[in-house]
Amino acid sequence: MSFFDTVLLRLDESVTGLFGQWNLWTSVIFTVFAGFLTWQIAARRDPDTHPFLLARQAQGSPVRQPGQSPVYRSQAAPHGMPLNAGLNVKDAGASKWSRGRDGDLRDIWRQAVAGVQEDGPTKGRTGRILTVQGAQVIEHRLDAITRQINLIGQHILNQGGHRVAIYLPNSVELIVTLFACTFYGLTPVILPFDQPDDAVISMLRRSAADTVVTAPGSFPFDLVVKSYPSLRQLIWVVDEGSKHMDWNEVPQGTGSSVNVSTWQDVINDGPVDAGKDLPPLEGQKEPCDITIFWQSKPGQQEELVRFRSANLISAIAGQLFAVPTSQRMGPSDLFLPADSLANTHTLVLTLTALFSNASVAFNSVASQADDLAIATRGVSPTILVATPAALLKTHKEASARTNASLFARFLHRRNVNQLNHGGVMPTTATTGTATQPEDTKLRLILTAERVGAGTPRLSSAVLSDLRAFTGARIMYALTAAKVAGAATQTGFYDYRVFEGEQGGGCHFGPPLTSTEIMLRDMGEWKSGDDGSRGEIIVMGPCVAGGEAALGVAGVMRVDNTLTYV
Amino acid sequence: MDYVQQRVAQAASNQDASTSSLFTPLNGLLLSLLLYTTYTFLLRPSPAPQIPKEEPAVVFRTFTPHTLLPYNGEKDMPVYLAVRGRVFDVTRGRNFYGPGGPYANFAGRDASRGLACGSFDEEMLTKDLDGPLDRLEGLGAAEMEALQGWEERFEEKYMVVGKLVAVGEGEK
């Protein structure tokens, strides 16, 4: 035979010889192989967002001033467009495509009462307002709250109040007083709760408040009446157990300069029909400012910050746009702030929840106890605002429980891989944590790093573990005294883990649509062609005074997210 | 046919050549294929995609007529021109403003008077680079309007990378 034929013959013989060895083992191996390939192809999930979107999350301006870095903005607010400054509030009956107005805090309550405006399955639905007391959950009706807003506001106005200090834990009364002040032209001053007596007096003095709404037991009434003579009016918010006592008495020897009343008296004294309607939209006055106190480290004096209504509205708009449209807060969500409402970030998020017609639950002990189990007792929230300390505690407990079992460890590592490399939320949370009952519906946790207040940092590995433990997405924000809401916030779909980086890869995400970030040269940290470093400067419509220097050094990472140096 | 008969005879005589052992070459081949696939899919981490770095931002500079002159597109330099004290980066319009283009006179110079009068002549440019900037004297309302239109076009199309001051005025 010819050479070609010989080659073919040899080839034929070898192939036949090889496959002639097929036996039972070969069938088994082949079946496993085919099954593995099929499973991999069938069970593959696309990442929640395109990896290129995570690879660059902010855009720097093409020109920069000497001594500064480029100005960084979110991809949703490109350079040349104005930053998000308004809520686009449309009056009832206006066309869906009409241009709404910016709005102020009064429109938030109006929207909460009116219900969902968009056409769809949820049109007209309103959220519920709940108070959690121990294991009991009390629901408040929206028209009852509107009545309280009207009566309290009119009462304070009639008694001649101008600046109202609110010294209450997280409760419905805090929100009612805040809205009452906005509707009746008073300036609210929100004081952080549970402070030492001298701090309370110093804050009252600096804010020049003439009315205080507070709860008995935590407010040093005698001391304040002696050391702060400008106080004109006091409203006690009394709980059920103490209602029988007489709260109208004033200590001896102080004269009758302070008008004392209780919340319940003001509400019950008003006629039943009064206060059903909010003050009308036409002819309303300019919105008033809000004063808050920013707590730094314990022992340091609180910083007084005056926000205009436009600052808070812009912060709320930024938070609304931080979440993709399909995942936004809605009437089916239950929002629970487990952090003090005196914190601007928590307050902005609560107002965002009210504006989105979500149900909101208030728990007055949530902010003191750094424990998510206590905060979420009695309700199963879908959106939670927590402090980094509480999250770290949850993480430690859940890690200890997971590390005890080999299978749990394997499952957890698989989940973290799905988050980090696969870009998807794991289908089965590493459950078995006592903080979350099995049927929890938690879907989003919001937390914030407070500049200068010594909050513990959450590295990306810790955040990723928490996502695997709770089955909820986590957004980590950077907040500061003069910035309403957050300066920067991690993306909704950003699950990446950065091990081995300086600081454990702790980053705070790109700027929001209502802020822009610039880094000014500070000491040894200078910006150049190799990267941007320097003092973090935040600008935008949600910053008090338009621009604020945070006093800490930051650096822009490769993906244009902000982190501390 | 010859070949086929030969092969059939060979196959018939090799009927009982297969063994039921795990360690045959075929099994080894398939096993190694399975292990490699498992490693690739499950154990090897896929690196995050890298996109090219952003171009570093241009630093805003204060130019004098002397320092602006080199930016006329020659020797790979970008093309800048100044309109009413603002320096625009017109490298994207290199075909017009770069060397050999119809408006090449404007590159690296103060183009305000030329744009106002609609002329690309040499007389429109400031002769004395050490002297004060062109104060646009002797231009009527129509020319100022034309200049305004040109300036707005430039604002929309090109980036402002600096400001132009006369020699000696320094940083203001």
Side-chain angles (χ1 to χ4, degrees), chain A residues 9 12-13 16 18 20-23 25-26 29 33 40 51-52 56 60-66 70 421 529 560, chain B residues 3 7 10 18-21 24-27 30-31 34 37 41 46 49 52-54 56-60 159-160:
Chain A
L9 179 64
D12 192 18
E13 275 172 355
T16 322
L18 182 69
Q21 296 160 16
W22 193 284
N23 57 16
W25 287 109
T26 320
I29 297 174
F33 182 56
Q40 281 293 317
F52 281 2
R56 183 169 297 152
S61 62
V63 181
R64 67 180 179 94
Q65 299 288 334
H421 300 295
D529 285 348
N560 282 357
Chain B
Y3 166 73
R7 287 296 286 126
Q10 262 181 347
S18 66
T19 60
S20 64
S21 153
T24 60
L26 179 62
N27 286 358
L30 274 182
L31 253 182
L34 176 66
T37 317
F41 275 88
S46 49
K53 275 194 78 146
E54 268 181 319
V58 178
V59 184
F60 192 88
M159 222 161 53
V160 177

Side-chain angles (χ1 to χ4, degrees), chain A residues 255-392:
Chain A
S256 57
S257 62
V258 180
N259 185 333
V260 178
S261 47
T262 62
W263 187 276
Q264 281 310 112
D265 285 348
V266 173
I267 303 299
N268 292 339
D269 285 348
V272 176
D273 288 334
K276 282 227 163 70
D277 298 317
L278 293 165
L281 188 52
E282 297 84 35
Q284 65 181 8
K285 295 205 261 318
E286 288 295 312
C288 48
D289 300 346
I290 293 123
T291 306
I292 61 112
F293 282 90
W294 175 268
Q295 273 182 296
S296 298
K297 299 196 176 52
Q300 276 183 354
Q301 200 188 44
E302 296 84 1
E303 185 181 335
L304 185 149
V305 185
R306 249 191 113 115
F307 284 119
R308 295 182 40 238
S309 173
N311 297 135
L312 286 186
I313 293 297
S314 168
I316 294 170
Q319 287 295 341
L320 280 173
F321 276 85
V323 179
T325 324
S326 56
Q327 306 279 343
R328 284 200 190 149
M329 297 197 214
S332 52
D333 281 313
L334 178 60
F335 177 87
L336 175 69
D339 187 12
S340 164
L341 279 175
N343 241 330
T344 348
H345 180 63
T346 317
L347 182 66
V348 161
L349 286 168
T350 311
L351 293 172
T352 313
L354 286 171
F355 188 73
S356 312
N357 300 107
S359 304
V360 181
F362 293 102
N363 190 343
S364 51
V365 298
S367 42
Q368 275 83 11
D370 268 341
D371 194 339
L372 289 186
I374 296 180
T376 55
R377 187 183 302 154
V379 286
S380 62
T382 60
I383 303 178
L384 181 67
V385 181
T387 56
L391 285 180
L392 273 179

Side-chain angles (χ1 to χ4, degrees), chain B residues 69-80 94 97-100 104 107-108:
Chain B
L69 202 55
Y71 290 90
N72 54 5
E74 288 162 14
K75 300 199 209 65
D76 281 339
M77 293 286 274
V79 186
Y80 290 171
R94 205 189 172 86
Y97 303 103

Side-chain angles (χ1 to χ4, degrees), chain B residues 10-152:
Chain B
Q10 262 181 347
S13 61
N14 287 349
Q15 200 63 289
D16 49 353
S18 66
T19 60
S20 64
S21 153
L22 175 59
F23 301 105
T24 60
L26 179 62
N27 286 358
L29 202 65
L30 274 182
L31 253 182
S32 54
L33 199 63
L34 176 66
L35 286 173
Y36 175 72
T37 317
T38 315
Y39 165 70
T40 312
F41 275 88
L42 292 182
L43 296 174
R44 185 172 68 188
S46 49
Q50 295 284 339
I51 56 179
K53 275 194 78 146
E54 268 181 319
E55 270 183 32
V58 178
V59 184
F60 192 88
R61 262 179 75 180
T62 306
F63 290 94
T64 63
H66 284 288
T67 52
L68 188 59
L69 202 55
Y71 290 90
N72 54 5
E74 288 162 14
K75 300 199 209 65
D76 281 339
M77 293 286 274
V79 186
Y80 290 171
L81 60 81
V83 180
R84 273 208 272 214
R86 287 198 291 181
V87 176
F88 289 91
D89 179 357
V90 296
T91 318
R92 279 212 309 243
R94 205 189 172 86
N95 294 335
F96 293 107
Y97 303 103
Y103 313 151
N105 277 341
F106 286 161
R109 309 294 296 264
D110 183 0
S112 315
R113 185 175 282 269
L115 289 172
C117 303
S119 150
F120 315 122
D121 296 339
E122 283 285 330
E123 300 98 56
M124 295 292 141
L125 303 170
T126 333
K127 296 278 182 313
D128 183 10
L129 295 180
D130 288 315
L133 294 181
D134 191 346
R135 250 182 287 278
L136 302 176
E137 288 145 5
L139 293 178
E143 274 118 6
M144 293 311 282
E145 218 181 295
L147 179 60
Q148 184 69 24
W150 275 110
E151 207 175 332
E152 276 165 17

Side-chain angles (χ1 to χ4, degrees), chain A residues 1-2 14 18 44 73 156 198 214 218 270 289 304 320 325 334 356 366 392 410 478 487 493 561:
Chain A
M1 285 186 286
S2 66
S14 45
L18 182 69
R44 179 157 291 268
R73 281 197 178 195
I156 299 179
D198 48 345
T214 183
S218 43
D289 300 346
L304 185 149
L320 280 173
T325 324
L334 178 60
S356 312
L392 273 179
F410 165 73
L478 180 73
Y493 291 127
T561 55

Side-chain angles (χ1 to χ4, degrees), chain A residues 224-238:
Chain A
V224 167
V225 166
K226 272 202 277 291
S227 4
Y228 186 60
S230 318
L231 185 65
R232 289 277 159 270
Q233 199 182 84
L234 183 77
I235 300 182
W236 291 117
V237 177
V238 180

